[in-house]
Amino acid sequence: MLKEYKNILVAVDGSKESEQAFKKAVQVAKRNDSVLYIAHVIDIRAFESVSSFDESLAEEAAKVAKETLDSYVDYAKEHGIEDIHCLIEYGAPKTVITKQLQKDYHIDLIMLGATGLNAMERILIGSVSSYVSRHANCDVLIVRTDINNKLLEKEKKKK
């Protein structure tokens, strides 16, 4: 018997990798007739280093995230997805995805790009995809290829 996913979460962060994960999530959601949750987690730690934290920084980040999510919803609808929910959350992306969103929305598949971080960022704060793959209580699909299953440029350079 084939596994059917009912609630798919795709985490996006504005990177090319997350965009490819989103496009693949649309295809998986369509094949499974699933609910698609598109989440962007605004990492509040990025604002902690600003000496005079200005709420407008977080508001601007949310505005940009909403614009991106709106364009993703249009794409998903054009590709036959009807049940789409956009989520903008605040906090550490890896724990919000793994602990909060997975539980709150009964997620049975999390999809995300291999990495949106450079090597130094991975050393300092750790890879979200690595953390999610180790700590999620559901299936996790880490996307390393585009919609045609061709390696993304970053993945080609690693080889």
Side-chain angles (χ1 to χ4, degrees):
M1 180 180 204
L2 292 176
K3 168 73 174 154
E4 288 187 7
Y5 297 105
K6 297 296 177 201
N7 297 296
I8 298 173
L9 171 69
V10 59
V12 297
D13 63 5
S15 68
K16 196 72 172 162
E17 293 82 5
S18 72
E19 181 180 343
Q20 294 306 317
F22 162 73
K23 288 180 177 178
K24 284 200 172 186
V26 167
Q27 297 303 315
V28 174
K30 187 174 181 177
R31 283 193 301 272
N32 286 270
D33 194 26
S34 303
V35 178
L36 180 63
Y37 294 90
I38 310 167
H40 179 87
V41 182
I42 297 171
D43 192 344
I44 55 174
R45 296 171 301 175
F47 304 120
E48 289 174 358
S49 62
V50 178
S51 59
S52 59
F53 175 73
D54 183 354
E55 222 174 88
S56 66
L57 291 173
E59 289 171 4
E60 183 62 27
K63 179 183 170 198
V64 170
K66 181 173 177 357
E67 290 169 0
T68 301
L69 293 177
D70 287 346
S71 71
Y72 284 175
V73 167
D74 291 342
Y75 178 94
K77 286 181 178 178
E78 289 169 10
H79 287 83
I81 306 299
E82 299 294 326
D83 202 349
I84 309 162
H85 301 271
C86 292
L87 310 168
I88 298 176
E89 300 289 339
Y90 297 85
K94 52 188 161 188
T95 55
V96 169
I97 292 165
T98 307
K99 309 279 191 240
Q100 178 187 329
L101 298 180
Q102 179 187 342
K103 179 182 173 192
D104 290 352
Y105 298 99
H106 309 287
I107 301 301
D108 50 9
L109 175 64
I110 299 172
M111 296 179 66
L112 58 164
T115 181
L117 304 176
N118 64 37
M120 184 53 75
E121 289 169 320
R122 279 193 306 276
I123 291 168
L124 293 175
I125 64 173
S127 166
V128 172
S129 58
S130 177
Y131 181 91
V132 171
S133 69
R134 287 191 321 271
H135 294 92
N137 292 322
C138 67
D139 289 346
V140 176
L141 176 60
I142 298 175
V143 175
R144 297 180 186 283
T145 60
D146 66 15
I147 200 74
N148 298 311
N149 292 322
K150 303 283 187 227
L151 274 180
L152 298 172
E153 287 304 314
K154 277 188 177 179
E155 293 299 316
K156 285 180 186 174
K157 290 176 184 175
K158 289 181 186 176
K159 300 249 175 219

